Amino acid sequence: MTWWLGEMAPFDCESTGIDTEAARIVTTTVAHITPNAETEVSSHLIAVDVEIPVEATEVHGITTEHARANGKPAGEVLEAVAAQLAEVMANGTPVVGMNLQYDFTLLDRELRRNALPTLDTRLGRPIGPVVDIYVIDKALDKYRKGGRKLVDMCAAYGARIDEAHEATADALAAARVA
């Protein structure tokens, strides 16, 4: 069986900014797609410990007040997400997403900031398997016209995206593109 017909674990984070050293995860989703079964989705909102900049709120729609009132503690969410990702990777299930270098670096920094074991520590090896549609798209079609954002790829490859810049919608859209 080819990987795209088997299990996959779509993953995405929405954050307070683009600097992985300083940004905080605001929302994150890890899903588990199994053929002939309902997709399992684990989505989390973090009660952030920093202000969410207006520019970030304009992208994902989440304010500092909303996150703090409705979110869970960062450590609790980060532990759950890291455990879930480590489990699917240990089982050989590919984690699928868009520009995963950003998401994995951000998660790594958040785990370290919260004194939690990183993914590679949990696995006892480098993270993987990983399927990054951004990397694949650039390798397969270097000269494709149009942008390389997730919405652009969805349009180019005929994949549905329900609500751009929402962690669950983005994770599942990346799996559709893959």
Side-chain angles (χ1 to χ4, degrees):
M1 178 187 299
T2 53
W3 68 264
W4 60 86
L5 298 176
E7 292 182 46
M8 20 174 133
F11 170 55
D12 187 62
C13 298
E14 297 297 327
S15 68
T16 60
I18 59 173
D19 178 359
T20 55
E21 299 302 322
R24 301 293 195 274
I25 295 173
V26 178
T27 63
T28 184
T29 294
V30 179
H32 193 184
I33 298 173
T34 305
N36 303 314
E38 190 169 328
T39 298
E40 298 170 29
V41 177
S42 179
S43 185
H44 305 275
L45 175 65
I46 293 178
V48 293
D49 62 352
V50 299
E51 293 293 319
I52 299 172
V54 172
E55 299 81 15
T57 296
E58 288 173 353
V59 172
H60 53 60
I62 300 167
T63 64
T64 303
E65 295 75 22
H66 177 79
R68 288 180 178 163
N70 299 289
K72 293 182 180 175
E76 179 183 324
V77 170
L78 296 167
E79 177 58 39
V81 168
Q84 189 174 7
L85 287 170
E87 180 182 353
V88 296
M89 286 185 207
N91 292 333
T93 301
V95 174
V96 178
M98 166 71 180
N99 194 18
L100 286 171
Q101 176 181 346
Y102 173 80
D103 296 271
F104 282 128
T105 302
L106 181 62
L107 178 62
D108 179 83
R109 299 317 184 264
E110 285 276 66
L111 290 167
R112 291 172 190 273
R113 193 177 292 116
N114 285 273
L116 295 167
T118 60
L119 285 177
D120 52 347
T121 299
R122 291 167 193 261
L123 289 165
R125 60 174 172 78
I127 63 171
V130 172
V131 175
D132 189 327
I133 64 169
Y134 180 75
V135 172
I136 293 171
D137 180 56
K138 286 188 82 166
L140 288 178
D141 199 352
K142 292 180 195 177
Y143 306 107
R144 177 176 60 75
K145 291 184 181 192
R148 300 233 184 237
K149 294 181 179 178
L150 182 57
V151 293
D152 301 322
M153 284 191 217
C154 286
Y157 297 109
R160 187 180 91 234
I161 184 166
D162 296 322
E163 185 181 338
H165 302 295
E166 190 279 325
T168 299
D170 286 1
L172 295 176
R176 292 182 194 109
V177 170

